[in-house]
Coordinates of all heavy atoms in Angstrom, one line a residue:
Y1 N 50.6 107.2 -173.2 CA 52.0 107.2 -172.6 C 53.0 107.4 -173.6 O 53.9 108.2 -173.5 CB 52.3 105.8 -172.0 CG 51.7 105.6 -170.7 CD1 50.8 104.6 -170.3 CD2 52.1 106.4 -169.6 CE1 50.3 104.4 -169.1 CE2 51.5 106.3 -168.3 CZ 50.6 105.3 -168.1 OH 50.0 105.2 -166.8
E2 N 52.7 107.0 -175.0 CA 53.6 107.3 -176.0 C 53.6 108.8 -176.3 O 54.7 109.4 -176.6 CB 53.2 106.5 -177.3 CG 53.5 105.0 -177.2 CD 53.1 104.2 -178.4 OE1 52.6 104.9 -179.3 OE2 53.3 103.0 -178.4
E3 N 52.4 109.4 -176.3 CA 52.4 110.8 -176.5 C 53.2 111.6 -175.5 O 54.0 112.5 -175.8 CB 50.9 111.3 -176.5 CG 50.1 110.9 -177.7 CD 48.6 111.2 -177.6 OE1 48.3 111.7 -176.5 OE2 47.9 110.8 -178.5
Q4 N 53.1 111.3 -174.2 CA 53.8 111.9 -173.2 C 55.3 111.6 -173.3 O 56.1 112.5 -173.1 CB 53.3 111.3 -171.8 CG 51.9 111.7 -171.4 CD 51.8 113.1 -171.0 OE1 52.5 113.5 -170.2 NE2 50.8 113.7 -171.7
A5 N 55.6 110.4 -173.7 CA 57.0 110.1 -173.8 C 57.7 110.9 -175.0 O 58.8 111.5 -174.9 CB 57.2 108.6 -174.2
R6 N 57.0 111.0 -176.1 CA 57.5 111.8 -177.2 C 57.5 113.2 -177.0 O 58.3 114.0 -177.5 CB 56.7 111.5 -178.5 CG 56.9 110.0 -179.0 CD 56.3 109.8 -180.4 NE 56.8 108.5 -180.9 CZ 56.2 107.4 -180.7 NH1 55.1 107.3 -180.0 NH2 56.8 106.3 -181.2
A7 N 56.7 113.6 -176.0 CA 56.7 115.1 -175.6 C 57.9 115.4 -174.7 O 58.1 116.6 -174.3 CB 55.3 115.5 -175.0
G8 N 58.5 114.4 -174.1 CA 59.7 114.6 -173.3 C 59.6 114.2 -171.9 O 60.5 114.5 -171.1
N9 N 58.5 113.6 -171.5 CA 58.3 113.3 -170.1 C 59.1 112.0 -169.7 O 58.9 111.0 -170.3 CB 56.8 112.9 -169.8 CG 56.6 112.8 -168.3 OD1 57.0 111.8 -167.7 ND2 55.7 113.7 -167.8
A10 N 60.1 112.2 -168.9 CA 61.1 111.1 -168.6 C 60.4 110.0 -168.0 O 60.8 108.8 -168.3 CB 62.2 111.8 -167.7
K11 N 59.5 110.1 -167.1 CA 58.8 109.0 -166.5 C 58.0 108.2 -167.4 O 57.9 107.0 -167.4 CB 58.0 109.5 -165.3 CG 58.7 109.9 -164.0 CD 57.9 110.1 -162.9 CE 58.7 110.4 -161.6 NZ 57.8 110.7 -160.4
A12 N 57.4 108.9 -168.4 CA 56.6 108.2 -169.5 C 57.6 107.5 -170.3 O 57.3 106.3 -170.8 CB 55.8 109.2 -170.2
Q13 N 58.7 108.0 -170.7 CA 59.8 107.3 -171.5 C 60.2 106.1 -170.7 O 60.4 105.0 -171.3 CB 61.0 108.3 -171.7 CG 60.6 109.4 -172.6 CD 61.6 110.6 -172.6 OE1 62.5 110.6 -171.8 NE2 61.6 111.4 -173.7
F14 N 60.5 106.2 -169.4 CA 60.9 105.0 -168.6 C 59.8 103.9 -168.8 O 60.0 102.7 -168.9 CB 61.1 105.4 -167.2 CG 61.3 104.2 -166.3 CD1 62.5 103.5 -166.5 CD2 60.5 103.9 -165.3 CE1 62.7 102.4 -165.6 CE2 60.7 102.9 -164.4 CZ 61.8 102.1 -164.5
L15 N 58.5 104.3 -168.5 CA 57.5 103.3 -168.5 C 57.3 102.7 -169.9 O 57.0 101.5 -170.0 CB 56.1 104.0 -168.1 CG 55.0 103.0 -167.8 CD1 55.3 102.0 -166.8 CD2 53.7 103.8 -167.5
L16 N 57.4 103.5 -170.9 CA 57.4 103.0 -172.3 C 58.5 101.9 -172.6 O 58.3 100.9 -173.1 CB 57.4 104.1 -173.3 CG 57.0 103.8 -174.7 CD1 55.6 103.3 -174.8 CD2 57.1 105.0 -175.6
G17 N 59.7 102.3 -172.0 CA 60.7 101.3 -172.1 C 60.4 100.0 -171.4 O 60.7 98.9 -171.9
L18 N 59.7 100.0 -170.2 CA 59.3 98.8 -169.5 C 58.4 98.1 -170.3 O 58.4 96.9 -170.4 CB 58.7 99.2 -168.1 CG 59.7 99.6 -167.0 CD1 58.9 100.0 -165.8 CD2 60.6 98.4 -166.6
S19 N 57.4 98.8 -170.9 CA 56.4 98.0 -171.7 C 57.0 97.3 -172.9 O 56.6 96.2 -173.3 CB 55.3 99.1 -172.2 OG 55.8 99.9 -173.2
H20 N 58.1 98.0 -173.6 CA 58.7 97.2 -174.6 C 59.5 96.1 -174.1 O 59.5 95.0 -174.7 CB 59.7 98.2 -175.3 CG 59.0 99.2 -176.3 ND1 58.5 98.7 -177.5 CD2 58.8 100.4 -176.4 CE1 57.9 99.7 -178.2 NE2 58.1 100.7 -177.5
E21 N 60.2 96.3 -173.0 CA 61.0 95.2 -172.5 C 60.1 94.0 -172.1 O 60.5 92.8 -172.3 CB 61.8 95.7 -171.2 CG 62.6 94.6 -170.5 CD 63.4 95.1 -169.3 OE1 63.2 96.3 -169.0 OE2 64.0 94.3 -168.7
Q22 N 59.0 94.2 -171.4 CA 58.2 93.2 -171.0 C 57.1 92.7 -172.0 O 56.3 91.8 -171.6 CB 57.6 93.5 -169.7 CG 58.6 93.8 -168.6 CD 58.1 93.9 -167.3 OE1 56.9 93.7 -166.9 NE2 58.9 94.5 -166.3
G23 N 57.0 93.3 -173.1 CA 56.0 92.9 -174.1 C 54.6 93.2 -173.7 O 53.7 92.3 -173.9
L24 N 54.3 94.4 -173.3 CA 53.1 94.8 -172.8 C 52.3 95.5 -173.9 O 51.3 96.2 -173.5 CB 53.1 95.6 -171.5 CG 53.7 94.9 -170.4 CD1 53.8 95.8 -169.1 CD2 53.1 93.6 -170.0
R25 N 52.7 95.4 -175.1 CA 52.1 96.3 -176.1 C 51.4 95.4 -177.2 O 51.2 95.8 -178.3 CB 53.2 97.1 -176.9 CG 54.0 98.0 -175.9 CD 55.3 98.5 -176.6 NE 55.0 99.1 -177.9 CZ 54.4 100.3 -178.0 NH1 54.1 101.0 -176.9 NH2 54.2 100.8 -179.1
G26 N 51.0 94.2 -176.8 CA 50.4 93.3 -177.8 C 51.3 92.7 -178.8 O 50.8 92.3 -179.8
A27 N 52.6 92.7 -178.5 CA 53.7 92.3 -179.4 C 54.7 91.6 -178.6 O 54.7 91.7 -177.3 CB 54.2 93.5 -180.2
E28 N 55.7 91.0 -179.2 CA 56.8 90.4 -178.6 C 57.7 91.5 -177.9 O 57.7 92.6 -178.4 CB 57.7 89.6 -179.6 CG 57.0 88.3 -180.1 CD 56.7 87.3 -179.0 OE1 57.5 87.1 -178.1 OE2 55.6 86.9 -179.0
P29 N 58.3 91.1 -176.8 CA 59.2 92.1 -176.1 C 60.2 92.6 -177.2 O 60.7 91.9 -178.1 CB 59.9 91.3 -175.1 CG 59.0 90.2 -174.8 CD 58.3 89.8 -176.0
D30 N 60.6 93.9 -177.1 CA 61.5 94.5 -178.0 C 62.6 95.2 -177.2 O 62.4 96.4 -176.7 CB 60.8 95.6 -178.9 CG 61.6 96.1 -180.0 OD1 62.9 96.1 -180.0 OD2 61.0 96.6 -181.0
A31 N 63.8 94.5 -177.0 CA 64.8 95.0 -176.2 C 65.4 96.3 -176.8 O 65.9 97.2 -176.1 CB 65.8 94.0 -176.0
T32 N 65.4 96.3 -178.2 CA 66.1 97.5 -178.8 C 65.3 98.8 -178.5 O 65.8 99.8 -178.2 CB 66.2 97.3 -180.4 OG1 67.0 96.2 -180.6 CG2 66.7 98.5 -181.0
E33 N 63.9 98.8 -178.7 CA 63.1 99.9 -178.4 C 63.2 100.2 -176.9 O 63.1 101.4 -176.5 CB 61.7 99.6 -178.8 CG 61.4 99.9 -180.3 CD 61.6 101.4 -180.6 OE1 60.7 102.2 -180.2 OE2 62.6 101.8 -181.2
A34 N 63.2 99.2 -176.0 CA 63.3 99.5 -174.6 C 64.5 100.2 -174.3 O 64.4 101.2 -173.6 CB 63.3 98.1 -173.9
A35 N 65.7 99.8 -174.9 CA 66.9 100.5 -174.6 C 66.8 101.9 -175.1 O 67.4 102.8 -174.4 CB 68.1 99.8 -175.2
R36 N 66.2 102.1 -176.3 CA 66.1 103.5 -176.8 C 65.4 104.4 -175.9 O 65.8 105.6 -175.6 CB 65.4 103.4 -178.2 CG 65.3 104.8 -178.9 CD 64.9 104.5 -180.4 NE 63.5 104.4 -180.4 CZ 62.6 105.4 -180.4 NH1 63.0 106.7 -180.4 NH2 61.3 105.2 -180.5
W37 N 64.3 103.9 -175.3 CA 63.5 104.8 -174.4 C 64.1 105.0 -173.1 O 64.1 106.0 -172.5 CB 62.0 104.3 -174.3 CG 61.2 104.6 -175.5 CD1 60.8 103.6 -176.5 CD2 60.8 105.8 -176.0 NE1 60.1 104.2 -177.4 CE2 60.1 105.6 -177.1 CE3 60.9 107.1 -175.5 CZ2 59.5 106.6 -177.8 CZ3 60.3 108.1 -176.2 CH2 59.6 107.9 -177.5
Y38 N 64.8 103.9 -172.6 CA 65.5 104.1 -171.4 C 66.6 105.1 -171.5 O 66.8 105.9 -170.6 CB 66.2 102.7 -171.0 CG 65.3 101.6 -170.5 CD1 65.5 100.3 -170.7 CD2 64.1 101.9 -169.7 CE1 64.7 99.4 -170.3 CE2 63.3 101.0 -169.3 CZ 63.5 99.6 -169.5 OH 62.7 98.6 -169.1
R39 N 67.3 105.2 -172.7 CA 68.4 106.1 -172.8 C 67.8 107.6 -172.8 O 68.4 108.5 -172.2 CB 69.0 105.8 -174.2 CG 70.3 106.8 -174.3 CD 71.0 106.6 -175.7 NE 71.6 105.3 -175.7 CZ 72.9 105.0 -175.1 NH1 73.5 106.0 -174.5 NH2 73.4 103.9 -175.2
K40 N 66.6 107.8 -173.5 CA 66.0 109.1 -173.4 C 65.7 109.5 -172.1 O 65.9 110.7 -171.6 CB 64.8 109.0 -174.3 CG 65.0 109.0 -175.8 CD 63.8 109.1 -176.6 CE 64.0 109.0 -178.1 NZ 64.6 110.1 -178.6
A41 N 65.1 108.6 -171.2 CA 64.8 109.0 -169.9 C 66.1 109.2 -169.0 O 66.1 110.0 -168.2 CB 63.9 107.9 -169.2

């Protein structure tokens, strides 16, 4: 998903934002990264 998002796929960027917002990456939620990917999408 990160590869797709960095390649410019808007839906992947949105999903990556969701994963950051909800902490689905094996780490604490990251609202800053979530907002960054939401903006790109």
Side-chain angles (χ1 to χ4, degrees):
Y1 283 119
E2 287 179 4
E3 289 171 3
Q4 293 289 305
R6 289 192 169 86
N9 188 298
K11 287 188 176 180
Q13 291 167 344
F14 171 67
L15 187 61
L16 193 55
L18 283 176
S19 74
H20 279 292
E21 180 182 356
Q22 299 189 16
L24 301 182
R25 303 166 52 77
E28 291 297 312
D30 189 334
T32 300
E33 275 296 286
R36 185 170 77 87
W37 286 109
Y38 288 147
R39 185 179 292 278
K40 287 180 180 295

